Amino acid sequence: AAKYNDPLLIKKLIELEAPIKTVSTDLQDNAVMQAAKNCLVDNLKEILSDYAKKLLTDAGGPQNKIDVDRVNVNSKTALHLAAENCNTEELITTLGQETPNLFMVDNNQDTPLWIAAENNKHEHTVRELIEIEADVNIVHVGRNRSLLCYTLETINNVAGTSSGDKTPTLDLILLSGKLLPDKVIDCILNVIGLSSSEHIILANRWQNLLTQNETVNSAAEKGDLVTLLNFKAQNENFNKDQSITDPITG
């Protein structure tokens, strides 16, 4: 019943004490997962209602509760499935009220925020995940990139002014107010496109130059990539120095 749009049926089944925690035989999805991946907010609210929770605790004690962090065969939680399939803030808000683990990764090492961010049509989901404190600075284990770095690398215009696929996500990340300045600066360094040895040397130079500049630090704190990129463009000769040496060792 959870995967069909009939919250009244779900309510009736709960009243009849139908087993709420049953899982499907194929993907091992429970009722919360079914409602989440089908974007059915009202169904989810019935399944997570105080009445449903009371029935469970009355039957099996405080430990007998619906686990919103339960994973299916693909290691996806209800939040992963909602992020993958839906663009509904209310769905994420409802799950967020159950204090889910926002850092859990699936078989692809994706958090719910990563999944939503990769789908350029799920900006409402991205916004609400950030609102409930999903970490925008987390580094993806498989890609070895933060979400900001990955987004910068996969859009047409890193300043966010083009119609690139990831622009809505980029805007939400930048406007979140939760980016760490050093993470922003690191992403700017990563899009320079140099060989690894040149990158290390120039990264040291840029790191010193950027972190000592008050305007740049302020821009990094605000996620203001336009200012950062303009600053970088104004210092192009810095990148073109033919006698590159390590700024530490000389």
Side-chain angles (χ1 to χ4, degrees), residues 85-154:
N85 297 288
C86 313
N87 188 31
T88 309
E89 289 184 27
E90 190 176 6
L91 192 70
I92 303 301
T93 302
T94 302
L95 285 169
Q97 291 170 348
E98 304 300 314
T99 60
N101 185 339
L102 301 170
F103 298 94
M104 291 185 72
V105 296
D106 61 13
N107 286 349
N108 295 318
Q109 301 301 310
D110 290 334
T111 64
L113 180 57
W114 267 87
I115 290 176
E118 287 189 290
N119 189 324
N120 65 317
K121 296 180 180 178
H122 288 180
E123 62 266 25
H124 294 301
T125 298
V126 171
R127 180 182 293 108
E128 191 56 30
L129 283 168
I130 292 174
E131 183 65 28
I132 65 173
E133 302 300 329
D135 188 2
V136 298
N137 296 291
I138 195 168
V139 175
H140 192 288
V141 174
R143 297 185 177 99
N144 194 29
R145 290 282 187 277
S146 70
L147 187 57
L148 175 60
C149 289
Y150 177 74
T151 305
L152 282 172
E153 292 168 0
T154 52

Side-chain angles (χ1 to χ4, degrees), residues 161-179:
T161 56
S162 75
S163 58
D165 286 345
K166 298 295 189 294
T167 297
T169 296
L170 177 61
D171 291 342
L172 288 168
I173 295 170
L174 295 176
L175 295 173
S176 69
K178 299 176 181 179
L179 286 170

Side-chain angles (χ1 to χ4, degrees), residues 3 32 50-51 62 64 66 88 121 129 136 172 177 193 203 214 239-240 242:
K3 64 181 178 180
V32 175
D50 290 339
Y51 180 72
N64 191 35
I66 298 175
T88 309
K121 296 180 180 178
L129 283 168
V136 298
L172 288 168
E214 185 175 341
N239 282 348
K240 296 175 182 177
Q242 298 302 309

Side-chain angles (χ1 to χ4, degrees), residues 20 22 38 61 63 71 85 135 155 158 181 211 233 240:
I20 301 173
T22 302
N38 288 287
Q63 72 280 1
V71 297
N85 297 288
D135 188 2
I155 62 174
V158 292
T211 54
K240 296 175 182 177

Side-chain angles (χ1 to χ4, degrees), residues 174 177 179-182 184-185 210-225 227-228:
L174 295 176
L179 286 170
L180 299 175
D182 62 319
V184 179
I185 292 171
L210 292 171
T211 54
Q212 292 171 13
N213 185 289
E214 185 175 341
T215 300
V216 170
N217 263 319
S218 176
E221 289 176 1
K222 297 175 182 176
D224 182 1
L225 286 188
T227 297
L228 289 170

